Amino acid sequence: MKDANEILKAKGLRTTASRSGVLEAFRAHHHALSHSDLEKRLGKAFDRVTLYRTLNTFLEKDIIHKVLDDEGSAKYALCQHSDGDHHHNHVHFKCRVCTTSECLTEVSIPGIKLPEGYTSASANLLIEGVCIRCYGKE
Amino acid sequence: MKDANEILKAKGLRTTASRSGVLEAFRAHHHALSHSDLEKRLGKAFDRVTLYRTLNTFLEKDIIHKVLDDEGSAKYALCQHSDGDHHHNHVHFKCRVCTTSECLTEVSIPGIKLPEGYTSASANLLIEGVCIRCYGKE
DNA sequence: GTTTATGCAAATTCTTTGCAATACT
DNA sequence: AGTATTGCAAAGAATTTGCATAAAC
């Protein structure tokens, strides 16, 4: 996988401590992170406002995408392939034991037959259950 | 469909103007409503705080459920069958033209093959596209 | 009459914005 | 040097909480 610097360069963004830090945090975790998850992980290295702006910039540049969640708070995860609108048609899995969310990139969403007159542009599936790491712990 | 009063009684909740108003608003619209949608529709009949509390109460009692959304804001819709955990395994359709979300109750989510070791308890599918009312308007 | 729900005020938390100072290329 | 990014302060939303009043059963 590309390193933080390469990702930023490819998107025409400057390399800064906060951006690298956020990217590394995403790369170090297989599951989706919320704004507050990131704040905890990154400590007080930089301002909360910078984190808001960093996340928005990354969303615009398709470096990260939003992960759907039952609960309120938005979570984010790295986009795996940085081309096209791949980031639609994701399957996200949320474990009810450890409460983490992850993208199941290898799982694809089956074709859904919509009612007459409806057309689909993208689909996001959120599955809740128990992940492999928590199997048996329930 | 049960009327507002019956729904409330069945859940052991008192019938009040705000609760009836919120229930009627949901029954009058086929699509999901956010907190601010409801505020607009209900006007200043009651306090914003009451609306927060009413929505939370309805969520707890499984009268409404959260509808997933790409964007931040939480939306809610009536649960169709008030028994069991039916409200899982929903398909929600969001129209990119009129931006409304609705539950497609007649569509079911096909079985998904999860990676080894993962078990699924519920699934929520969010499809984005164009609804029948907006077909051709794009 | 007793219990539950509401309204109001205020406290928290979340998110955005403006602008000067700083860091990147 | 020139431009993009950050930090700080402050504004603006969104959401929650406490408590006295009012409404439902």
Side-chain angles (χ1 to χ4, degrees), chain B residues 74-116:
Chain B
K75 295 187 173 187
Y76 307 90
L78 272 190
C79 294
Q80 297 301 325
H81 319 289
S82 28
D83 35 73
D85 62 352
H86 64 287
H87 54 283
H88 298 308
N89 293 321
H90 259 302
V91 178
H92 291 123
F93 184 90
K94 175 166 186 177
C95 177
R96 55 165 54 167
V97 178
C98 62
T99 73
T100 60
S101 299
E102 62 186 303
C103 295
L104 298 182
T105 47
E106 66 277 27
V107 176
S108 61
I109 301 177
I112 306 281
K113 195 172 173 302
L114 290 176
E116 197 64 30

Side-chain angles (χ1 to χ4, degrees), chain B:
Chain B
M1 195 198 262
K2 289 179 177 177
D3 72 11
N5 213 332
E6 288 176 292
I7 295 173
L8 292 170
K9 275 215 174 115
K11 297 291 183 175
L13 295 172
R14 292 186 177 178
T15 300
T16 66
S18 58
R19 287 175 178 168
S20 303
V22 171
L23 279 178
E24 288 308 331
F26 278 118
R27 282 152 51 92
H29 298 276
H30 59 281
H31 60 266
L33 300 171
S34 66
H35 180 104
S36 76
D37 291 335
L38 286 163
E39 262 191 329
K40 282 174 207 146
R41 278 197 169 79
L42 300 170
K44 289 165 191 166
F46 22 78
D47 204 81
R48 177 189 271 103
V49 173
T50 300
L51 183 50
Y52 277 111
R53 289 197 268 227
T54 300
L55 290 173
N56 284 334
T57 303
F58 285 2
L59 278 179
E60 282 167 19
K61 298 288 184 177
D62 283 333
I63 295 173
I64 60 175
H65 62 274
K66 277 197 184 178
V67 173
L68 298 177
D69 197 283
D70 301 87
E71 290 141 34
S73 68
K75 295 187 173 187
Y76 307 90
L78 272 190
C79 294
Q80 297 301 325
H81 319 289
S82 28
D83 35 73
D85 62 352
H86 64 287
H87 54 283
H88 298 308
N89 293 321
H90 259 302
V91 178
H92 291 123
F93 184 90
K94 175 166 186 177
C95 177
R96 55 165 54 167
V97 178
C98 62
T99 73
T100 60
S101 299
E102 62 186 303
C103 295
L104 298 182
T105 47
E106 66 277 27
V107 176
S108 61
I109 301 177
I112 306 281
K113 195 172 173 302
L114 290 176
E116 197 64 30
Y118 284 75
T119 53
S120 162
S122 70
N124 255 286
L125 180 60
L126 174 64
I127 299 178
E128 201 198 36
V130 180
C131 75
I132 191 169
R133 294 170 296 281
C134 295
Y135 177 73
K137 290 191 199 161
E138 202 173 7

Side-chain angles (χ1 to χ4, degrees), chain A residues 3 9 11 16 18 21 23 25 39 41-43 49 51 59 62 67 76-77 81 87 90 93 104 111 114 124 129:
Chain A
D3 73 11
K9 277 219 172 113
K11 298 290 184 176
T16 67
S18 56
L23 280 179
E39 260 190 329
R41 281 204 164 75
L42 300 170
V49 173
L51 183 50
L59 278 178
D62 284 333
V67 173
Y76 308 90
H81 317 289
H87 54 284
H90 259 301
F93 184 91
L104 297 183
L114 290 176
N124 256 286

